[in-house]
Amino acid sequence: RRPHRDGELPVREPEHQRGVRDQRAGRGRRVQRAEGRGKQSQVAVYAIDGSCSGLKLVSSGEFTADAVQYPGKMAALGVDSIAKLARGGSKPSVTQGKDFFDTGTALVALKGYSGVTVQSPTDAASACWGS
């Protein structure tokens, strides 16, 4: 297990594997550990994936933020690239400063963070996945 700084509890949204109830339970176990150390008021839960249910948890305040990936956008870019290659075109260039083609990630939160572009859960909901 990777150590995390006190008060930061990263969780992966497991909706596609076990459902929202277990997603909340995973958060609950981590929060309970923080409570056992007397740090419950200092806990911030961050998620990765951007499912529709995860965005609802950001809206409700259960998650502090969610790093959202857009699988629909990723798939469309992939299909477009394959079609371009099939017609004799070139493969996509890597994103400047990276060694891969970055399809993008957005931080979804209720409040802003210095130096980071933040999207509201309402705006992100137009492209989330799952239910």
Side-chain angles (χ1 to χ4, degrees), residues 40-129:
Q40 65 271 22
S41 65
Q42 301 171 20
V43 172
V45 180
Y46 297 89
I48 297 174
D49 273 351
S51 69
C52 296
S53 62
L55 297 180
K56 289 174 188 171
L57 294 172
V58 173
S59 292
S60 73
E62 291 184 60
F63 285 176
T64 302
D66 194 345
V68 176
Q69 302 172 34
Y70 297 104
K73 176 183 175 185
M74 296 162 99
L77 289 169
V79 169
D80 288 347
S81 295
I82 291 168
K84 184 178 177 182
L85 282 169
R87 290 189 301 270
S90 60
K91 67 179 186 176
S93 302
V94 298
T95 302
Q96 185 175 349
K98 300 181 179 181
D99 61 357
F100 60 93
F101 181 79
D102 188 351
T103 59
T105 301
L107 183 67
V108 175
L110 293 175
K111 67 176 192 167
Y113 293 90
S114 179
V116 178
T117 302
V118 175
Q119 190 175 28
S120 75
T122 302
D123 291 341
S126 66
C128 64
W129 58 271

Side-chain angles (χ1 to χ4, degrees), residues 3-21:
H4 300 290
R5 296 187 313 186
D6 281 342
E8 291 183 357
L9 301 175
V11 296
R12 183 177 168 277
E13 294 178 27
E15 175 190 55
H16 62 285
Q17 295 173 351
R18 294 183 296 272
V20 175
R21 184 179 60 210

